Amino acid sequence: MMSKIVRTQANFLYPLIMIFGFYIVAHGHLTPGGGFQGGAVIATGVALIAVAYSYKNVKTWIKKTRLTATEAIGLLTFIITALLGISRSFFYNWLANTGLLFGQPVPYGINPGYLNTAGTLPIMNFAVGIEVLGGLGVIIMYYLHYIKEVSKNAV
Amino acid sequence: MRKLLLCTALIVVLAAFLYVSINPADFGYSTGDHLVFGHPRYVDMDDYFIHNGQNQTGANNIVTSIVFDYRGFDTLGEASVLFTAVLAVGMVLRALRRDAK
Amino acid sequence: MIFESLLQILLLAGLIISAYLAIRYKDLLACAVALGVFSFLLSLEFYILQAPDVAIAEAGIGAGLTTAIFILAIKGTSRWEVEE
């Protein structure tokens, strides 16, 4: 556990980092960024909490099995979304310009940007985002677990 | 001796890069004018993506439409690389933990 | 134009200085922080070169996650570099 200054700063910054990461993931098809970048930013928030607090507290808040399940679900969602357009080709954008979910046609040229566009791209952004979040988070949790084991054996 | 060798290699590489950036015509990059940053030599594929990307995928961000749609296999490989890396970290740390006991 | 060139020269000088400091320090925690500064300056350079995607990835992974993982690794091992 770090000092009180670090914990106060982490408590203040944690929600801001999470909101910024989810913003990057959700607006991946409109603004710079995307699933990978947004997932990395969210994982940075998780790492901030994991560094600032002791492992005994962090273990009760963040479960390793849940992060692994999140990672697997993200990768499966990505592959299944790509596979659903197999009638044309793998990775065919089968939702774009259909008028269904995320299917609003977008005018050519400069426009203000509409969230309900781009077909399968927001789904894939979200899938890759939670996959990166789970992967990088579970690496940090493995590190914390191993450090605790080593220090217990040394003492 | 090793330091001298290292310095010589660095200076040779730096001189090669400077020579290519000053005389690009000698290496087949451009006939005539210089290469300018932001103005690539061949732009046919860029023009195709810029003119058809919004109609075909409906995304304003053309980088995302390339990463997740036109070049989707690249992202699939990247995601599976991350998955494999997490598997490897888990296996290594678990084996080390068993040794420590 | 002159302002942009000046900013790029400053950023590249900062990159070289922070990379040299990361090699030179004996305190590994200071090395991790110097590497974080290096990644942050590199992300600013990417942003100036009009690649905001790469800039966000570099700032998130390089300056945030890698520093945290280095700090965790230093916590598990020793803080000072040992001459073998």
Side-chain angles (χ1 to χ4, degrees):
Chain A
M1 180 168 319
M2 296 233 177
S3 65
K4 193 161 189 174
I5 301 170
V6 178
R7 272 181 285 145
T8 311
Q9 288 279 349
N11 281 339
F12 176 68
L13 282 177
Y14 175 68
L16 300 179
I17 291 176
M18 295 301 256
I19 289 170
F20 182 58
F22 278 112
Y23 167 80
I24 290 177
V25 172
H27 289 241
H29 56 291
L30 299 176
T31 57
F36 191 77
Q37 287 92 342
V41 171
I42 299 172
T44 305
V46 174
L48 186 67
I49 286 295
V51 170
Y53 285 85
S54 69
Y55 181 63
K56 201 175 62 186
N57 292 330
V58 175
K59 200 168 63 174
T60 58
W61 298 332
I62 308 165
K63 295 269 192 287
K64 243 185 304 184
T65 53
R66 250 176 238 169
L67 282 176
T68 317
T70 304
E71 188 194 6
I73 287 171
L75 194 55
L76 273 180
T77 312
F78 184 71
I79 294 175
I80 287 173
T81 311
L83 198 64
L84 280 179
I86 199 70
S87 61
R88 283 290 292 275
S89 72
F90 203 56
F91 279 107
Y92 177 66
N93 200 340
W94 49 277
L95 267 176
N97 301 327
T98 55
L100 300 174
L101 181 70
F102 297 127
Q104 183 183 342
V106 65
Y108 177 74
I110 299 172
N111 53 23
Y114 308 101
L115 263 184
N116 195 17
T117 56
T120 58
L121 297 191
I123 304 172
M124 285 181 175
N125 265 324
F126 192 70
V128 172
I130 65 174
E131 198 244 340
V132 171
L133 161 68
L136 296 179
V138 84
I139 285 178
I140 291 167
M141 293 309 285
Y142 269 126
Y143 262 70
L144 280 174
H145 195 98
Y146 181 63
I147 286 168
K148 182 168 162 283
E149 290 279 331
V150 165
S151 61
K152 194 170 66 185
N153 281 331
V155 169
Chain B
M1 188 59 202
R2 272 184 64 196
K3 233 172 221 176
L4 191 70
L5 210 63
L6 199 66
C7 285
T8 318
L10 273 179
I11 287 171
V12 166
V13 170
L14 186 66
F17 274 125
L18 280 179
Y19 184 72
V20 172
S21 67
I22 289 170
N23 299 318
D26 291 354
F27 294 87
Y29 279 121
S30 167
T31 59
D33 52 352
H34 286 285
L35 279 178
V36 182
F37 181 78
H39 298 276
R41 183 85 178 124
Y42 303 105
V43 293
D44 300 339
M45 186 171 276
D46 306 0
D47 284 342
Y48 178 79
F49 286 141
I50 288 169
H51 289 136
N52 296 319
Q54 271 183 323
N55 290 332
Q56 288 177 353
T57 67
N60 275 351
N61 190 359
I62 297 184
V63 176
T64 302
S65 72
I66 288 174
V67 164
F68 285 106
D69 200 324
Y70 293 112
R71 302 281 183 268
F73 281 104
D74 195 43
T75 311
L76 181 61
E78 177 194 346
S80 35
V81 161
L82 187 66
F83 197 81
T84 317
V86 172
L87 274 181
V89 168
M91 282 159 69
V92 166
L93 287 189
R94 220 167 254 177
L96 279 175
R97 221 159 61 209
R98 205 182 302 127
D99 284 350
K101 270 176 194 170
Chain C
M1 195 64 199
I2 186 82
F3 175 70
E4 195 176 328
S5 304
L6 202 65
L7 196 60
Q8 284 213 0
I9 289 171
L10 276 180
L11 277 180
L12 292 175
L15 279 178
I16 292 175
I17 289 170
S18 59
Y20 180 72
L21 285 181
I23 298 173
R24 203 62 190 170
Y25 276 139
K26 295 290 181 207
D27 187 355
L28 292 179
L29 203 59
C31 289
V33 174
L35 274 181
V37 171
F38 180 84
S39 293
F40 179 68
L41 291 178
L42 192 61
S43 84
L44 279 183
E45 179 70 31
F46 279 136
Y47 185 72
I48 290 173
L49 292 179
Q50 302 178 5
D53 283 282
V54 192
I56 293 174
E58 181 71 35
I61 293 180
L65 259 176
T66 315
T67 311
I69 287 180
F70 273 139
I71 288 174
L72 284 181
I74 289 167
K75 217 173 168 184
T77 55
S78 81
R79 182 171 165 177
W80 299 92
E81 185 180 348
V82 185
E83 295 281 346
E84 298 270 334

